[in-house]
């Protein structure tokens, strides 16, 4: 409860600051041509406003209002020094808000900017799966397993996608590999239960199988 109150206060205070900066910006814009202008004043105001947008976005993210957070991170990108950080956080908020269309576009751009970033690659593969591009997600995870063979999370997510599209035999095969390589992995039981559920109810994922085949074609 304390964290929620703190986040709310952060958003509220930033809104007050933003209104003050906006008022200052309007006043500056209404100056006559003969009025004295401070060099760089306009860019400083814009930068300060963008910084307040970033703070508001952080507050919304803390409150798990990810759609609003993404909106304000986008505004914060007007500040060049915050642009990359704001873009990354905006992309993450799109994913957390399950806005996979915008998340996919954002993470693809991030990967072009930082092609060796492991976390971006992992996030992109996950979003591909969640947005229905399961075959593309599987291909991404197969590449990631070769790049990061000692990262159990890659293998876990790969198995989850296999289960999601109903490829139970493949899921069982890779679960055995997971158990052999990472016997202490906390996800083993959950994955095993999911696979057994698929075996006991083979028709439960029939719709997803057909949907995946249509998208692959």
């Amino acid at each position: 409860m304390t964290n929620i109150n703190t986040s709310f206060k952060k958003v509220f205070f930033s809104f007050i600051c933003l209104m003050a900066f906006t008022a200052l910006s309007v006043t500056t814009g209404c100056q006559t041509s003969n009025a004295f202008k401070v060099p760089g004043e306009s860019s400083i105001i814009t930068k300060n406003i963008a910084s307040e947008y970033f703070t508001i976005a952080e507050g919304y993210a803390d409150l798990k209002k990810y759609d609003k957070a993404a909106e304000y991170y986008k505004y914060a990108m007007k500040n060049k020094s915050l642009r990359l950080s704001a873009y990354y956080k905006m992309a993450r908020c799109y994913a957390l808000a399950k806005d996979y269309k915008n998340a996919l576009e954002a993470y693809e751009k991030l990967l072009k900017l930082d092609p060796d970033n492991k976390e971006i690659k992992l996030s992109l593969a996950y979003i591909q799966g969640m947005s229905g591009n399961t075959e593309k997600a599987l291909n991404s995870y197969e590449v990631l397993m070769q790049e990061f063979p000692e990262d159990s999370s890659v293998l876990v997510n790969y198995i989850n996608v296999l289960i999601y599209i109903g490829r139970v035999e493949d899921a069982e095969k890779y679960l055995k590999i997971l158990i052999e390589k990472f016997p202490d992995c906390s996800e083993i039981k959950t994955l095993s239960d999911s696979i057994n559920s698929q075996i006991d109810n083979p028709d439960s994922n029939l719709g997803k199988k057909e949907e995946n085949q249509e998208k692959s074609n």
Side-chain angles (χ1 to χ4, degrees):
M1 187 68 178
T2 303
N3 290 336
I4 293 175
N5 287 336
T6 302
S7 299
F8 179 79
K9 288 177 182 177
K10 183 193 293 185
V11 172
F12 180 76
F13 180 74
S14 296
F15 267 122
I16 297 299
C17 292
L18 182 60
M19 290 173 66
F21 281 128
T22 303
L24 179 59
S25 178
V26 170
T27 303
T28 303
C30 292
Q31 291 176 336
T32 64
S33 59
N34 295 325
F36 176 75
K37 295 183 180 180
V38 178
E41 182 180 46
S42 178
S43 64
I44 291 171
I45 292 172
T46 300
K47 185 181 289 187
N48 287 336
I49 290 173
S51 295
E52 290 305 322
Y53 281 141
F54 190 90
T55 303
I56 291 170
E58 295 279 87
Y60 276 126
D62 289 343
L63 292 169
K64 297 185 178 181
K65 294 183 179 293
Y66 299 117
D67 54 339
K68 294 296 292 183
E71 179 184 344
Y72 280 93
Y73 281 129
K74 189 173 184 178
Y75 295 151
M77 287 165 59
K78 292 178 181 178
N79 184 334
K80 290 182 180 179
S81 65
L82 294 173
R83 187 167 296 165
L84 187 57
S85 176
Y87 194 83
Y88 178 84
K89 292 193 174 193
M90 179 189 72
R92 183 172 179 274
C93 284
Y94 280 143
L96 290 170
K98 298 183 179 180
D99 182 355
Y100 295 122
K101 180 181 177 181
N102 280 321
L104 188 63
E105 182 181 339
Y107 272 100
E108 284 175 345
K109 287 182 180 178
L110 281 171
L111 190 60
K112 288 179 181 178
L113 293 171
D114 192 359
D116 297 322
N117 190 305
K118 175 184 173 182
E119 295 306 317
I120 292 174
K121 289 179 180 180
L122 288 170
S123 296
L124 181 56
Y126 173 81
I127 292 163
Q128 286 169 341
M130 291 300 100
S131 61
N133 297 322
T134 49
E135 286 303 318
K136 200 168 186 179
L138 288 173
N139 291 335
S140 295
Y141 279 123
E142 285 164 7
V143 172
L144 287 166
M145 283 191 292
Q146 293 179 355
E147 281 190 71
F148 310 105
E150 299 307 315
D151 189 335
S152 63
S153 68
V154 178
L155 190 50
V156 167
N157 286 335
Y158 182 67
I159 296 168
N160 272 319
V161 176
L162 289 171
I163 294 170
Y164 178 77
I165 63 175
R167 286 171 52 178
V168 180
E169 290 183 5
D170 288 333
E172 286 183 300
K173 172 186 170 183
Y174 282 96
L175 178 60
K176 289 177 182 177
I177 295 173
L178 179 68
I179 293 169
E180 289 173 6
K181 290 190 67 175
F182 309 101
D184 297 326
C185 177
S186 61
E187 297 295 323
I188 289 173
K189 186 180 184 306
T190 301
L191 291 170
S192 180
D193 289 344
S194 296
I195 290 171
N196 289 332
S197 177
Q198 287 285 311
I199 293 171
D200 293 338
N201 302 284
D203 295 332
S204 63
N205 246 12
L206 185 59
K208 289 189 177 70
K209 283 183 184 178
E210 293 174 349
E211 181 184 344
N212 186 63
Q213 287 173 352
E214 287 176 5
K215 289 186 177 180
S216 298
N217 296 331

